[in-house]
Amino acid sequence: MSIHTTAKPLTQRSLSKMLMKSSSLSFLVNVGGIGIALIMQILLARQLGAVSYGYYSFVTTAVTFLVFPTKLGFDTAIVRYVSSYRAHGQWAEVKGLLRRANQITAGLSLAVTVISLLVVLLMSGSMNGELLYTYIAGLLGIPVMALALLRQSSLQALKEMLHAQLPEKIIRPVVFIALLFLYNAIADTKAGAGEAMLLFLAAMAVSYAIGAWVLKRRLTPKIQGAGTAYNTREWVNVSLSLMFVSGMYLVLGQLNVLMLGWMEGTTEAGIYGAAVRIATLVSFGLTAINMTAAPFISESYAKKDDKQLRHVLSLSNLAGFLFAGVIYVAFLFLNDPILGLFGEEFKRGSLALLILSTGQLVSAFSGQTGTLMTMTGQQKTLGRILAGSAVLNIVLNFVLIPAFGMLGAAVTNLLCTVCWKTAMVIVIRRKLGISIGMFAWMTANKKRGN
């Protein structure tokens, strides 16, 4: 399928300026967020120790898994639909989509929270008090976390990149660190994993309230006087496909931590989880750029503007990969001291960090494959690719983790990343006629050489 221009596009210069300005802002927020998050994780790891940090990391991963079905894929659907509706001035549909998405997500998240709490209480006899406390505190945060993701997507679709990311990237970790120090001072003792999770829940509530207030202020002038149009069946159908895709991403990104914790213990999972968090720094430049690029991709595709779409992809892919290369080289030499910041016992994850970082570099090299497929209606094909990789992930984890521990989990992550990224690049080329990632630059340079 090809895309042909039917609407007058922005000039490449003006589009580049818009992308670079928004992407730079997003990048700076993400840099600040990553730095603060790293400080937060180091403080937690040093305060809790490997065992309690393992509890915290394991429960956080479990809660992340529980949050994704409550969103029903609406977080991604909002970016796709609102960007398209915005391009055509359909504010009644925007209003209806955001209202319906929040209603459905609120109901599902409350149901998942109640069911999960009941399951944990039934299993409480098989876990110690600290782990039980951590589970209860973590599960209570599911509704807030789910609704915060919808709010973030709404601002992202409106191209309000700073306001979309600031609450979760900056405000939440800063508030959490402040509450942690305040708790230690008032209680005259260090917080355990359960107390830390409860403080994180409080920080989440603060950042959500601020983000929701900003969204209301930004959205109200645009939807004032507009009616409310609902296309619930269409939205839910598309969102279900996107939820499946999100679930597969979650499996590929987090299942290793859960399976490692199940087979090797939560301490091993905590050390590996720290390596996973650090490794994401390699591709976080592309992730930051994606926040800006996704609405432009959806808008370009909706207007059938092939030239603008290719320019957005080309510019953002190159910037993301160059950043990834710099961080990857740094990790080759500094992986051991970086993990040592968490504590001496965390240095056991150094080799796993290098393997995971290689997977992130492969991801950055391949470009915005998932974002492009999602924003152009190829979510079903994307879901099938990710499902195949998830099955491979599970099989390899069962084989490699018992034999090699966290190294087996890291190798599984790398192999699956190579598989699904390669498949996406091929599908995008066949279905959309677009070379993506650094492959696009290689193809363009080859043509110029000829």
Side-chain angles (χ1 to χ4, degrees):
M1 180 179 68
S2 297
I3 307 167
H4 303 286
T5 303
T6 59
K8 185 178 179 181
L10 292 167
T11 65
Q12 286 201 5
R13 171 179 273 187
S14 60
L15 179 60
S16 297
K17 283 183 177 180
M18 289 176 66
L19 271 174
M20 293 310 296
K21 181 179 179 181
S22 297
S23 295
S24 297
L25 193 61
S26 176
F27 181 81
L28 289 174
V29 171
N30 274 273
V31 168
I34 288 291
I36 295 170
L38 186 60
I39 292 170
M40 183 184 82
Q41 294 298 328
I42 290 171
L43 288 173
L44 270 177
R46 286 189 168 276
Q47 174 162 315
L48 300 179
V51 174
S52 292
Y53 183 78
Y55 291 156
Y56 182 90
S57 181
F58 189 78
V59 170
T60 300
T61 303
V63 169
T64 302
F65 266 87
L66 291 170
V67 165
F68 97 83
T70 68
K71 300 180 285 98
L72 209 67
F74 274 117
D75 52 334
T76 310
I78 284 171
V79 176
R80 175 176 158 185
Y81 276 110
V82 171
S83 299
S84 177
Y85 290 151
R86 181 177 179 274
H88 295 96
Q90 296 173 279
W91 292 107
E93 283 79 1
V94 171
K95 187 176 178 181
L97 172 59
L98 297 186
R99 180 177 294 177
R100 185 67 78 231
N102 277 275
Q103 289 170 347
I104 293 173
T105 298
L108 286 175
S109 61
L110 287 172
V112 168
T113 300
V114 171
I115 293 170
S116 300
L117 284 170
L118 290 174
V119 171
V120 167
L121 291 174
L122 288 173
M123 298 174 61
S124 61
S126 62
M127 59 182 77
N128 62 43
E130 184 179 17
L131 182 56
L132 176 62
Y133 183 12
T134 307
Y135 263 118
I136 292 173
L139 293 173
L140 290 174
I142 290 175
V144 180
M145 194 177 296
L147 292 172
L149 288 168
L150 296 193
R151 190 268 314 151
Q152 185 179 54
S153 295
S154 302
L155 285 167
Q156 181 187 352
L158 294 171
K159 298 181 181 177
E160 296 282 353
M161 306 314 302
L162 176 63
H163 299 103
Q165 298 178 82
L166 201 60
E168 277 68 47
K169 297 286 185 180
I170 305 295
I171 296 174
R172 185 163 70 187
V174 168
V175 171
F176 174 71
I177 291 171
L179 289 175
L180 189 62
F181 277 113
L182 186 63
Y183 177 89
N184 290 341
I186 294 176
D188 199 29
T189 182
K190 290 184 176 181
E195 290 83 6
M197 189 65 77
L198 203 58
L199 294 175
F200 186 72
L201 173 60
M204 254 198 310
V206 171
S207 64
Y208 172 74
I210 293 171
W213 176 77
V214 171
L215 175 60
K216 184 177 180 180
R217 284 182 61 87
R218 295 290 170 176
L219 194 59
T220 299
K222 296 179 174 65
I223 62 173
Q224 246 178 355
T228 307
Y230 294 103
N231 297 312
T232 305
R233 180 174 294 180
E234 178 189 344
W235 295 335
V236 170
N237 286 338
V238 171
S239 294
L240 285 171
S241 298
L242 293 172
M243 182 187 73
F244 180 75
V245 169
S246 298
M248 292 301 99
Y249 273 126
L250 195 58
V251 167
L252 291 167
Q254 299 291 332
L255 184 63
N256 304 62
V257 178
L258 288 178
M259 292 188 71
L260 186 64
W262 174 45
M263 290 189 269
E264 299 291 321
T266 54
T267 300
E268 193 84 350
I271 294 172
Y272 179 77
V276 169
R277 289 184 177 90
I278 294 172
T280 58
L281 289 173
V282 174
S283 62
F284 107 92
L286 185 61
T287 302
I289 293 169
N290 268 343
M291 291 286 291
T292 299
F296 282 100
I297 292 171
S298 178
E299 182 181 296
S300 300
Y301 188 76
K303 295 190 298 185
K304 304 188 187 309
D305 192 337
D306 178 64
K307 188 175 181 181
Q308 179 174 305
L309 176 59
R310 291 177 189 272
H311 186 64
V312 170
L313 292 171
S314 177
L315 191 63
S316 53
N317 288 168
L318 179 63
F321 179 70
L322 290 177
F323 180 84
V326 172
I327 300 298
Y328 182 76
V329 171
F331 281 179
L332 288 176
F333 299 99
L334 300 173
N335 63 90
D336 199 63
I338 288 173
L339 275 173
L341 294 172
F342 288 77
E344 283 299 312
E345 63 268 48
F346 286 84
K347 288 184 177 181
R348 291 197 291 113
S350 293
L351 184 53
L353 173 58
L354 284 180
I355 297 170
L356 291 165
S357 298
T358 302
Q360 293 294 317
L361 185 66
V362 169
S363 183
F365 183 88
S366 304
Q368 297 155 301
T369 50
T371 301
L372 177 59
M373 293 183 75
T374 300
M375 294 296 112
T376 56
Q378 301 294 327
Q379 65 271 2
K380 290 185 179 179
T381 302
L382 175 59
R384 286 193 289 268
I385 292 172
L386 294 176
S389 297
V391 172
L392 178 63
N393 187 292
I394 293 170
V395 171
L396 289 177
N397 275 330
F398 272 119
V399 173
L400 297 179
I401 287 178
F404 303 103
M406 71 174 73
L407 290 182
V411 169
T412 294
N413 180 282
L414 173 59
L415 292 175
C416 290
T417 299
V418 171
C419 287
W420 64 264
K421 277 291 184 177
T422 301
M424 285 183 191
V425 168
I426 293 171
V427 167
I428 288 170
R429 179 62 183 170
R430 289 179 178 175
K431 285 184 173 288
L432 298 175
I434 296 174
S435 293
I436 191 167
M438 296 310 295
F439 296 100
W441 283 89
M442 291 162 61
T443 302
N445 289 332
K446 186 177 179 181
K447 288 179 179 177
R448 282 195 291 268
N450 291 334

